[in-house]
Amino acid sequence: MPIVKVQMYQGRSHAQKAELARVITEAIVSIAHTTSEQTTVIFEDVSKENWAAGGVLASDSS
Amino acid sequence: MPIVKVQMYQGRSHAQKAELARVITEAIVSIAHTTSEQTTVIFEDVSKENWAAGGVLASDSS
Amino acid sequence: MPIVKVQMYQGRSHAQKAELARVITEAIVSIAHTTSEQTTVIFEDVSKENWAAGGVLASDSS
Amino acid sequence: MPIVKVQMYQGRSHAQKAELARVITEAIVSIAHTTSEQTTVIFEDVSKENWAAGGVLASDSS
Amino acid sequence: MPIVKVQMYQGRSHAQKAELARVITEAIVSIAHTTSEQTTVIFEDVSKENWAAGGVLASDSS
Amino acid sequence: MPIVKVQMYQGRSHAQKAELARVITEAIVSIAHTTSEQTTVIFEDVSKENWAAGGVLASDSS
């Protein structure tokens, strides 16, 4: 019963998420030997105001 | 100091969350032997666009 | 398809976790109107060396 | 490659998050001996409707 | 800077995790248009004592 | 009631975690205007077998 959480900047399209869910689920099923019904993928959209690398919010970096 | 995170499809009402917080906290207190003051419950609303089972986004499944 | 994550100090027994899983799932099913098959509960044991309140690790507080 | 997630009530300003990201990253770099480029800080804003202490949603407590 | 967390039952081999990390990263890069250097994959092994479906710990289900 | 989760490679000492908990809590209190009693810091140790950057497990990168 794998659970995959994908955190990305917000702005990815519905089609991108649908494709990611499909491909990641296929990878989990074939490599980890489970079924697609058992596999959950959750996307979490993070704004650039809420994500910092190098100590600087992404919304502030040039 | 238990922390409980509940991820559900968005759309649950305030009353449902209040009841869940009360009942889950009571269960934690009585079964895990802590106090309600020490127990935190956090809800995370997930849209059907951000949740996939069987490799298909819930917003796309019929 | 609710997912509940319970973070507690390590040391709870198998029986306590089994009881918590049962009671929390029942609460989710009856209050959030889903099925028990759709409900996942995950426990995460945290050592007192890895948990701080008030800026002090629990393993260091008297 | 430390990842720090900060969950707080929503309402903190951009300036507060920028300052927190800077100070927490500096602490990670100097104490855990890594580089700021390797350090990620993610903020997660939680509404008072989604956070309960003592079994009561924060939005309902007086 | 996507971060992917994969929660699975413990017991997957090093080779399975290496293959999953490679394939999931490739999917993220090609579909979400980022670089592999920006993409982090974290595995979290969960014991059957810590995972319940249908209100029953996986270690207790037959 | 901020909750801070710090994911790092395993191997940091007790003293490093104690210092991080203290400094991060002070930053949260002074910048986000809360109290130290309200602030929780949780460390999560991740092995190099469970962490991949660039599609390669850290345990496999030279």
Side-chain angles (χ1 to χ4, degrees), chain D residues 3-24:
Chain D
I3 299 173
V4 180
K5 186 170 85 173
V6 181
Q7 290 183 298
M8 300 186 296
Y9 287 145
Q10 60 189 18
R12 264 64 183 216
S13 68
H14 178 91
Q16 284 176 303
K17 289 179 182 174
E19 178 76 355
L20 275 170
R22 189 180 63 75
V23 173
I24 289 174

Side-chain angles (χ1 to χ4, degrees), chain B:
Chain B
M1 294 147 183
I3 299 174
V4 180
K5 186 169 85 172
V6 181
Q7 291 182 298
M8 299 187 296
Y9 288 145
Q10 61 190 16
R12 264 63 184 217
S13 69
H14 178 90
Q16 283 175 304
K17 289 179 182 174
E19 178 75 355
L20 275 171
R22 189 179 64 74
V23 173
I24 290 174
T25 299
E26 286 177 1
I28 296 281
V29 168
S30 70
I31 298 167
H33 305 314
T34 182
T35 66
S36 65
E37 287 72 27
Q38 303 270 22
T39 306
T40 302
V41 180
I42 300 173
F43 294 96
E44 196 174 315
D45 304 315
V46 183
S47 79
K48 293 197 173 186
E49 285 252 334
N50 277 341
W51 192 305
V56 179
L57 294 177
S59 57
D60 290 349
S61 66
S62 54

